């Protein structure tokens, strides 16, 4: 049988002698006659056999009987083969389906070559359409996926036609689901050289695109920050050297005016020279502010009060065509800032607003408190918390998107040459960020501008400092050690202080100051020291002096220095007099430091 | 030869009926249709047993009993029995 031969036995005795085992088996089963017809697979191997036997009598098998058995055997063979093929095909389909469904998020489907009917789809595809309220099934028409939207159906038919004509291609697609971007790879499905349909592999690239945009934005922020940092270092370095020079120029000019007396013919020229030097000093302060290197006398300030204090000056700056409205909504909005910087912020913003309203308009300044819980993500995102917000808004010409995007860049200006330095808003930003806050601008061309300055709220009570005017021009007779590496600055400072009645000793650097202090046994009422000096910084000098004489009063003066300012943080409570300074502010600061030390000593 | 056995056109018609029943059987009823075919074939050929043996891809040289139909008290091996074990 396994050789493919029919067995026809009328009786078992017809078995040849070598088939004795078969004879024995037949005897065990009581078989008297047998007809066995094998059937084969398409490849030729024997797949099985149909046997018809008799246990009761021998049989003379006719050709008809043999033919009948062969027919039935072959049909059984076909039916079994069909079932096996069906099962194999079903298993293959299940595998393919599982493979397609393993693409959990990618949409995969196939249509017929004309793009009319859906042939196959995966689970993600069905889920996508279900989310849009449409159930899909194999065999459905393309149009049925877009009820009431024939344009979409036409679009897909054109894509299928393109695939049919051109072969594989990819296409970006704005989904019918709002705000989603999909990318589809179109392919022609072929089998044994025959084109069967068009397959589509789609993926949702919305998040990927969003991440790319975020990355690009972060990169832009980083580049901008690096550019600003480089500009800041350059500007800060220039400003530092300028401050030393301006200290000398202002000091000598003030001294000359004092020596000559007000009635002298040269006095008016010297006053003009002094005014120009002070304007230059103001410019260096702007440079330092935007580069966040401005020495700060930060304290808890009633920002609303500071804005109200500036109101009178603002009215003079703005002129009569502009209607100024100040609204302080919070009762005691305190922030840890330098009060002079609050003044600078408001004036800078008001001047910008004025220039945006050449024909007049309204300028509103509001001071309020807000809670920031979820700021727009980014490198300059505000930390969650409570902020004092100074908002300055105008009804002026507003800004285009391009201008608004660059408005905070240092040296960017839309004003005519000579009308603006491009440092106004950069300075405001520098001050805000130096205080841990930030600036937000809203503007539209023709619809005015709103600039909001966020300053972190400080929960301590606002402190009041004696106004400088109270001690301006103050004199004294105490002994002061002046430490300054620039000989010209040192000479000017010593001259001013002596003129105000003080007993002055001067040192060119830290080691010299330590030596003099040692010789004098620390018998000074005050040490006035520059911060940035070669060899030993002012902060180092201060620490060493305090080690020996803990109660020795100190007053620092500086143009700027990142490192030195950081170090000064460690010497908390030591006042800092920013360069350049006038004779008045120098003597006022010295008097103030001496009086504060005396109060502390008595307490 | 039993003179009552159908022959000629009648036999052809009866075999055709068996074939039709097999061909039309849905996937889940094929085994039952085979047994029915065996039951119909046995009296046609004046026999008393009909067995279907198949090989498998793992046992291409072994015939294993898949379906058997026996009439009366005729002894029959159990399905699953190898032909060589009888």
């Amino acid at each position: 049988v396994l050789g493919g031969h029919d067995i026809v036995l009328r009786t078992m005795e017809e078995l040849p002698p070598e088939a004795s085992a078969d004879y024995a088996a037949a005897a065990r089963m009581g078989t008297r006659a047998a007809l066995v017809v094998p059937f084969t697979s398409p490849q030729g191997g024997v797949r099985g056999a149909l046997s018809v036997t008799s246990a009761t009598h021998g049989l003379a098998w006719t050709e008809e009987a043999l033919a009948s058995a062969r027919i039935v055997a072959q049909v059984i063979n076909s039916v079994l083969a069909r079932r096996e093929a069906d099962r194999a095909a079903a298993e293959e389909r299940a595998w393919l389906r599982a493979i397609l469904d393993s693409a959990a998020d990618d949409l995969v489907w196939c249509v017929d070559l004309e793009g009319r009917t859906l042939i196959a789809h995966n689970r993600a595809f069905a889920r996508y359409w279900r989310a849009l309220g449409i159930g899909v099934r194999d065999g459905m028409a393309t149009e049925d996926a877009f009820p009431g939207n024939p344009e979409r159906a036409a679009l897909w038919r054109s894509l299928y036609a393109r695939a049919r004509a051109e072969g594989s291609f990819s296409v970006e697609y704005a989904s019918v689901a709002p705000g989603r971007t999909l990318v589809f790879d179109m392919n022609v499905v072929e089998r044994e050289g025959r084109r069967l349909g068009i397959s589509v592999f789609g993926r949702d690239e919305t998040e990927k695109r969003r991440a790319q945009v975020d990355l690009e934005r972060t990169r832009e922020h980083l580049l901008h920050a690096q550019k600003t940092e480089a500009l800041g270092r350059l500007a800060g370095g220039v400003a530092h050297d300028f401050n030393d020079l301006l200290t000398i120029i202002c000091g000598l000019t003030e001294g000359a005016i004092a020596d000559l007396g007000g009635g002298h013919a040269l006095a008016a020229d010297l006053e003009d020279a002094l005014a120009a030097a002070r304007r230059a000093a103001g410019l260096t302060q702007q440079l330092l502010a935007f580069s966040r290197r401005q020495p700060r006398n930060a304290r808890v300030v009633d920002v609303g009060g500071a804005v109200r204090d500036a109101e009178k000056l603002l009215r003079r700056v703005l002129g009569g065509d502009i209607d100024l409205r100040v609204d302080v909504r919070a009762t005691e909005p305190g922030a840890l800032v330098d009060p002079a910087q609050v003044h600078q912020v408001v004036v800078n913003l008001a001047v910008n607003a004025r220039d945006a309203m050449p024909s007049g308009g309204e300028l509103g300044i509001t001071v309020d408190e807000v809670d920031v819980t979820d700021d727009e993500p980014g490198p300059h995102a505000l930390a969650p918390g409570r902020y004092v917000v100074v908002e300055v808004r105008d009804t002026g010409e507003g800004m285009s998107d391009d201008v608004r995007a660059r408005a905070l860049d240092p040296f960017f200006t839309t004003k005519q040459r000579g009308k603006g330095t491009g440092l106004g808003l950069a300075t405001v930003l520098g001050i805000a960020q130096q205080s841990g806050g930030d600036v937000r601008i809203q503007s539209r061309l023709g619809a005015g501008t709103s600039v909001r300055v966020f300053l972190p709220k400080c929960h301590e009570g606002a402190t009041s400092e004696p106004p400088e005017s109270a001690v301006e021009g103050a004199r004294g007779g105490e002994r002061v050690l002046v430490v300054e590496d620039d000989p010209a600055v040192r000479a000017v400072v010593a001259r001013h202080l002596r003129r105000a009645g003080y007993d002055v000793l001067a040192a060119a650097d830290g080691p010299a100051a330590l030596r003099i202090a040692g010789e004098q046994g620390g018998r000074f009422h005050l040490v006035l020291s520059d911060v940035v000096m070669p060899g030993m910084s002012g902060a180092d000098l201060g620490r060493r002096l305090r080690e020996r004489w803990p109660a020795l009063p100190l007053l620092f003066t500086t143009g700027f220095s990142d490192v030195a300012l950081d170090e000064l943080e460690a010497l908390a409570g030591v006042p800092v007099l920013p360069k350049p300074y006038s004779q008045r502010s120098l003597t006022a600061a010295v008097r103030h430091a001496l009086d504060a030390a005396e109060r502390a000593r008595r307490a | 030869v039993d003179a009552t056995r159908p022959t000629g056109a009648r036999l052809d018609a009866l075999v055709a009926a068996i074939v039709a029943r097999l061909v039309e059987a849905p996937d889940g009823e094929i085994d039952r249709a085979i047994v029915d075919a065996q039951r119909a074939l046995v009296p046609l050929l004046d026999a008393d047993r009909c067995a279907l043996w198949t090989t498998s891809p793992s046992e291409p040289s072994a015939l294993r009993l898949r379906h058997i139909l026996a009439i009366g008290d005729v002894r029959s091996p159990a399905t699953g029995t190898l032909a060589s074990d009888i």
Side-chain angles (χ1 to χ4, degrees):
Chain A
V1 171
L2 289 170
H5 304 292
D6 297 337
I7 305 290
V8 182
L9 296 168
R10 285 175 294 178
T11 67
M12 299 317 289
E13 280 68 31
E14 290 179 354
L15 277 169
E18 64 269 23
S20 58
D22 295 324
Y23 185 86
R28 278 195 292 278
M29 299 307 296
T31 303
R32 304 284 297 277
L35 176 65
V36 186
V37 286
F39 49 85
T40 58
S41 68
Q43 289 74 33
V46 171
R47 280 171 48 95
L50 186 70
S51 67
V52 183
T53 57
S54 169
T56 55
H57 51 274
L59 280 171
W61 303 104
T62 63
E63 280 300 320
E64 274 186 322
L66 183 59
S68 299
R70 278 181 182 152
I71 289 169
V72 172
Q74 287 306 325
V75 171
I76 289 174
N77 183 25
S78 299
V79 168
L80 289 176
R82 186 190 73 196
R83 184 167 71 175
E84 282 171 18
D86 287 348
R87 286 180 177 174
E91 192 169 350
E92 192 177 348
R93 277 197 301 275
W95 262 103
L96 282 172
R97 171 78 59 186
I99 290 168
L100 293 180
D101 286 341
S102 68
D105 297 320
D106 292 351
L107 314 180
V108 185
W109 75 97
C110 185
V111 295
D112 66 84
L113 204 54
E114 282 70 39
R116 282 196 294 261
T117 309
L118 184 66
I119 295 174
H121 67 278
N122 73 345
R123 200 173 288 162
F125 180 84
R127 194 169 55 240
Y128 174 83
W129 283 105
R130 198 164 48 241
L132 297 172
I134 297 168
V136 292
R137 57 181 165 70
D138 291 345
M140 76 185 287
T142 297
E143 282 77 6
D144 293 344
F146 303 98
N149 196 346
E151 294 83 8
R152 283 273 168 174
L155 171 65
W156 274 106
R157 274 200 304 276
S158 71
L159 290 173
Y160 295 141
R162 185 179 159 196
R164 198 164 55 238
E166 299 178 14
S168 301
F169 69 92
S170 294
V171 63
E172 189 175 312
Y173 180 84
S175 167
V176 288
R180 312 300 295 181
T181 301
L182 305 175
V183 172
F184 292 110
D185 299 328
M186 317 281 295
N187 306 283
V188 174
V189 180
E190 290 186 355
R191 187 178 174 195
E192 295 170 355
R194 198 161 65 90
R195 304 174 108 204
L196 301 176
I198 296 160
S199 68
V200 187
F201 293 76
R203 55 196 176 276
D204 190 333
E205 299 236 323
T206 309
E207 299 307 324
K208 189 176 164 188
R209 298 283 166 94
R210 208 168 278 162
Q212 280 174 338
V213 169
D214 287 347
L215 183 65
E216 195 55 41
R217 194 178 295 152
T218 304
R219 193 176 289 145
E220 279 174 15
H221 280 304
L222 182 63
L223 279 173
H224 185 268
Q226 287 172 334
K227 191 175 75 179
T228 307
E229 175 69 14
L231 269 172
R233 284 189 179 282
L234 179 68
V238 170
H240 174 247
D241 290 348
F242 264 61
N243 280 338
D244 271 355
L245 296 172
L246 289 168
T247 302
I248 298 165
I249 294 168
C250 290
L252 291 176
T253 310
E254 282 180 328
I257 291 168
D259 287 348
L260 291 172
H264 194 276
L266 288 175
D269 291 345
L270 288 172
E271 288 287 358
D272 288 345
L274 187 59
R278 284 180 179 150
R279 280 203 300 279
L283 193 56
T284 60
Q285 290 309 306
Q286 299 258 39
L287 286 170
L288 288 170
F290 100 73
S291 62
R292 294 178 272 297
R293 288 170 172 79
Q294 194 176 38
R296 295 197 313 158
N297 281 320
R299 58 175 185 267
V300 181
V301 170
D302 170 6
V303 178
V307 170
R308 285 210 181 284
D309 288 346
E311 190 174 343
K312 191 173 171 185
L313 170 69
L314 290 177
R315 290 193 187 283
R316 212 165 49 230
V317 169
L318 295 172
D321 293 338
I322 292 174
D323 181 13
L324 173 65
R325 293 175 186 183
V326 176
D327 181 10
V328 178
R329 293 177 186 172
T331 50
E332 283 189 359
L336 189 66
V337 287
D338 185 329
Q341 290 185 328
V342 174
H343 193 264
Q344 200 172 358
V345 163
V346 175
V347 170
N348 282 11
L349 294 179
V351 167
N352 276 358
R354 178 200 65 190
D355 293 346
M357 298 185 288
S359 307
E362 288 180 14
L363 172 62
I365 303 178
T366 306
V367 182
D368 205 350
E369 287 186 26
V370 297
D371 284 315
V372 173
T373 53
D374 189 18
D375 196 23
E376 184 184 337
H380 297 306
L382 286 165
R386 195 155 180 81
Y387 288 80
V388 176
V389 179
V390 180
E391 181 182 17
V392 177
R393 60 194 177 280
D394 63 58
T395 55
E397 55 207 22
M399 303 180 213
S400 67
D401 288 346
D402 287 346
V403 169
R404 186 170 49 79
R406 299 186 59 196
L408 293 166
D409 285 0
F411 305 112
F412 175 77
T413 181
T414 56
K415 297 176 186 174
Q416 291 175 341
R417 190 176 173 80
K419 293 276 185 185
T421 59
L423 286 173
L425 277 173
T427 299
V428 172
L429 177 66
I431 290 169
Q433 291 184 341
Q434 199 175 18
S435 302
D438 212 334
V439 174
R440 297 284 185 270
I441 300 176
Q442 285 183 315
S443 186
R444 218 153 34 88
L445 266 182
T449 298
S450 158
V451 181
R452 289 183 301 155
V453 182
F454 288 75
L455 302 167
K457 164 84 175 169
C458 185
H459 295 285
E460 295 167 29
T463 57
S464 61
E465 291 283 317
E468 196 174 270
S469 58
V471 287
E472 268 183 12
R475 300 174 61 82
E478 291 92 337
R479 172 177 281 191
V480 178
L481 173 60
V482 174
V483 189
E484 169 63 59
D485 62 309
D486 187 307
V489 176
R490 191 167 65 240
V492 166
V493 172
R495 188 167 147 193
H496 282 335
L497 291 179
R498 285 191 184 114
R499 201 176 262 162
Y502 293 101
D503 177 13
V504 178
L505 288 175
D509 53 28
L514 286 173
R515 193 177 60 250
I516 293 172
E519 288 168 2
Q520 299 292 323
R523 285 188 291 277
F524 293 104
H525 297 96
L526 179 72
V527 175
L528 168 64
S529 175
D530 191 13
V531 173
V532 181
M533 293 185 294
M536 183 187 295
S537 72
D540 275 345
L541 172 64
R543 266 192 291 274
R544 292 206 189 185
L545 288 171
R546 283 274 172 89
E547 281 169 12
R548 288 189 67 182
W549 300 286
L552 185 61
L554 301 172
L555 171 61
F556 287 119
T557 175
T558 184
F560 94 99
S561 161
D562 287 348
V563 177
L565 288 175
D566 286 345
E567 286 187 18
L568 289 180
E569 295 283 323
L571 286 165
V574 176
V576 179
L577 174 64
K579 286 180 180 176
Y581 40 76
S582 65
Q583 181 177 352
R584 275 181 161 189
S585 54
L586 170 67
T587 52
V590 166
R591 185 69 262 154
H592 186 255
L594 285 165
D595 291 348
E598 180 60 19
R599 282 196 299 274
R601 193 182 64 77
R602 285 185 186 161
Chain B
V1 175
D2 183 354
T4 62
R5 271 166 50 189
T7 58
R10 186 157 171 261
L11 177 62
D12 290 346
L14 290 169
V15 170
I18 294 170
V19 167
R21 165 88 173 92
L22 279 168
V23 169
E24 289 164 7
D27 186 80
E29 293 181 20
I30 284 176
D31 291 317
R32 182 192 295 242
I34 289 172
V35 174
D36 289 346
Q38 289 173 311
R39 184 174 289 114
L41 187 64
V42 164
L44 280 185
L45 302 185
D46 192 24
D48 49 30
R49 267 188 313 220
C50 183
L52 178 70
W53 308 82
T54 54
T55 62
S56 66
S58 59
E59 295 174 305
S61 299
L63 287 165
R64 194 178 285 277
L65 184 61
R66 189 158 176 168
H67 292 295
I68 186 158
L69 185 284
I71 296 170
D73 296 333
V74 176
R75 206 178 306 160
S76 298
T79 54
T81 303
L82 280 172
S84 57
D85 289 344
I86 295 172

